[in-house]
Amino acid sequence: MSFHPNCSSINVTNLTECLLDTDHAILVTEAPAPNRQLVSDEMRQTLQLAIFSVFCGAVSLFGIGTNVLNIIVFIRQGFKDTMNINLLGLAIADLGCLLTLLGMSIGYNPYLIKTAVWFNLQDLIYFFDGWPHVCMTRVTSLITTFIAVERCLCIAIPLKVKTIITHSRTKGIIVGIFAIMVVVSLPFYYVNILIWTFDPEKNHTVLQLGFRSDRAIVEGIIFSISSVLMPFGSFLVVIICTVILIVKLNSKTKWRQKATSQFAGGSDTSVKEKKVIKMVTLISTIFIACNVPGIVTTVFMVFEPEFSVLGVYANMFFLSWSIAFALGGLNSAVNIFVYYTMSSKYKETMQNLLSCKKK
C-alpha cells in the first residue's frame, strides 16, 4: 500500500488517487503541524530508520536465502501434488517481495540519499522497487488465498476436489495470478516515467520521476483494484476458509476418534489430522497477523483525514507503514520454518539437499 506525498488528506472519495507513494513518501522529512503529534519528529526518524532500513534489510537478506532454498526443495520434490505447485509459486512471489524490499531498505536510507548527485535516489527506488514490491505483495496474497480455498475444498468435498482443481488448472491459476499483476503494472509505467530535469539546488540536471497528464485517472483505477479490492478481499477469504477448515477438521477428527476407539483403539488418523489443522492454522495466522497493520492503517486513513502524509498525524502514519512493510517482509521470510516443522517430506528433502552440499 502506498500514497502520493502531495496528498494532504485522504477520505473515501480521493483514497484511490493517493494509493501509491508510501514507498516514495516514506522519506518526506517536512514535519506537519506540531499540534496533536503523538510521536516527535526525532523519534519518528530514529524508529523509521531502525524498522525500515535495519530490520527490513536484515529480514530481506534472510528471507531471500530461505526462499531460494524453498524453490530448490519444491523443484526437487516434483509436481505430482498440486500443493507443491502452489508453494513454489508462493516462494517465487515471496522472493520477489524480499528482493524489492531489500532495495527499498537500502535506497531509502537517509544517509545514502545525501550521496546521490546525478539522480534522485528516492524516485529511482520508488520506480524500480516500490511498485514492483506492491505487485509481488499482491501476488503473495492471492496465492495464499488460493491455497486456503483449495485446502478448504479438500476437506469440504474430498471426492470432487481432484476433478475441480487439476494440475493443469493449478498451473494456469498460479501463472495467471502473476500475469494479472503484470497487466495491472503496465499502466503505472505508462503514466510514471523517468526524465532528466534541471535541479537549481545542485545546478545541473538530475534523473528523477516525471508524470503524464492523465496520471490521476489511471492510477485511481489501478489502485482501487490493487490496493483496496485485492488486499481486503484476500484477507477476508483467508479468514473465512481457515474457520471453515478448522471446523470441518475438528468435526471429522472427533467422529474418527469415536469410530477407531471402538475397534483398534488407535488414533493415528486423528494425530495426522491434528498436524494438518496446526499447519493450516499456523500459516493462516502468520498471514493474517502480518497483514493486520496494513489493513488497520488503511481503515484509519479512511475515517481520519489527518492520518496521512502531510496531516497532523503524519509521524504515526509513517511509522505505521514502516511496521506494515516490516511485517510483510517477515511473512515472506518465515515460511521455511512452517514447512520444515510440519512437513516430514520437506524436512527429508531439505536434509538430503544440505548433506549433498556438505559432501
Side-chain angles (χ1 to χ4, degrees):
M1 182 74 69
S2 39
F3 305 87
H4 194 274
N6 295 327
C7 297
S8 59
S9 64
I10 298 177
N11 53 42
V12 177
T13 57
N14 66 8
L15 174 62
T16 55
E17 297 180 4
C18 305
L19 292 175
L20 176 63
D21 299 324
T22 296
D23 307 331
H24 187 56
I26 202 167
L27 299 169
V28 175
T29 56
E30 294 81 5
N35 60 318
R36 294 191 288 168
Q37 278 293 344
L38 302 177
V39 179
S40 66
D41 295 337
E42 294 77 12
M43 183 178 293
R44 182 203 106 187
Q45 292 175 2
T46 301
L47 292 176
Q48 188 173 301
L49 179 64
I51 295 172
F52 198 80
S53 296
V54 179
F55 181 78
C56 286
V59 168
S60 298
L61 287 172
F62 173 76
I64 289 169
T66 60
N67 279 287
V68 169
L69 285 175
N70 286 340
I71 292 171
I72 295 173
V73 169
F74 293 134
I75 292 175
R76 283 201 170 197
Q77 288 181 348
F79 306 111
K80 293 181 180 180
D81 187 358
T82 56
M83 187 55 62
N84 271 20
I85 301 173
N86 296 334
L87 296 179
L88 176 63
L90 184 61
I92 294 172
D94 284 338
L95 181 61
C97 288
L98 294 163
L99 285 171
T100 51
L101 184 61
L102 178 63
M104 290 163 58
S105 67
I106 296 173
Y108 284 169
N109 188 312
Y111 300 104
L112 186 61
I113 291 172
K114 296 178 182 179
T115 63
V117 177
W118 296 100
F119 53 87
N120 187 315
L121 182 60
Q122 301 173 40
D123 285 0
L124 293 182
I125 293 296
Y126 165 70
F127 188 81
F128 291 108
D129 288 308
W131 177 245
H133 177 75
V134 173
C135 291
M136 288 295 99
T137 302
R138 300 297 172 260
V139 172
T140 297
S141 299
L142 292 175
I143 293 178
T144 303
T145 304
F146 176 66
I147 291 173
V149 171
E150 183 185 25
R151 289 179 175 179
C152 185
L153 291 176
C154 287
I155 298 300
I157 48 174
L159 300 179
K160 297 181 180 180
V161 67
K162 289 186 178 181
T163 59
I164 297 174
I165 303 179
T166 61
H167 282 74
S168 57
R169 288 177 182 173
T170 300
K171 293 177 183 177
I173 291 172
I174 298 300
V175 173
I177 290 173
F178 281 93
I180 287 172
M181 291 312 304
V182 170
V183 172
V184 171
S185 300
L186 293 178
F188 168 83
Y189 287 103
Y190 167 74
V191 296
N192 295 273
I193 56 176
L194 293 176
I195 58 175
W196 288 95
T197 306
F198 180 78
D199 189 336
E201 293 184 2
K202 298 180 179 179
N203 198 30
H204 59 74
T205 57
V206 296
L207 184 64
Q208 64 182 27
L209 201 63
F211 314 111
R212 298 185 188 274
S213 59
D214 53 353
R215 181 191 184 215
I217 299 174
V218 174
E219 288 186 351
I221 298 172
I222 295 174
F223 304 125
S224 62
I225 297 172
S226 65
S227 297
V228 178
L229 181 62
M230 286 185 179
F232 278 90
S234 299
F235 190 74
L236 291 175
V237 172
V238 169
I239 292 176
I240 293 171
C241 289
T242 302
V243 171
I244 294 174
L245 186 59
I246 292 174
V247 170
K248 284 284 185 181
L249 282 173
N250 278 329
S251 62
K252 288 189 176 184
T253 300
K254 291 179 181 179
W255 179 82
R256 287 177 179 175
Q257 279 180 336
K258 293 180 180 179
T260 54
S261 63
Q262 294 177 359
F263 297 97
S267 58
D268 292 340
T269 305
S270 172
V271 171
K272 291 180 181 180
E273 290 190 347
K274 283 182 179 179
K275 289 189 67 174
V276 173
I277 293 174
K278 187 176 179 181
M279 180 176 178
V280 172
T281 303
L282 185 57
I283 293 174
S284 301
T285 300
I286 292 172
F287 173 80
I288 294 168
C290 290
N291 281 273
V292 163
I295 297 293
V296 172
T297 302
T298 303
V299 173
F300 267 102
M301 290 168 51
V302 173
F303 291 102
E304 176 51 70
E306 294 298 336
F307 189 75
S308 61
V309 176
L310 298 177
V312 295
Y313 301 119
N315 288 349
M316 283 300 300
F317 173 86
F318 286 118
L319 286 179
S320 298
W321 280 115
S322 296
I323 293 171
F325 275 110
L327 289 177
L330 197 63
N331 177 56
S332 297
V334 299
N335 282 339
I336 189 171
F337 299 112
V338 179
Y339 304 148
Y340 192 84
T341 304
M342 303 292 181
S343 174
S344 56
K345 184 179 179 182
Y346 179 94
K347 185 176 183 179
E348 181 182 357
T349 307
M350 176 67 77
Q351 290 175 343
N352 291 336
L353 177 64
L354 295 177
S355 63
C356 288
K357 287 187 175 182
K358 287 181 180 179
K359 292 179 181 180

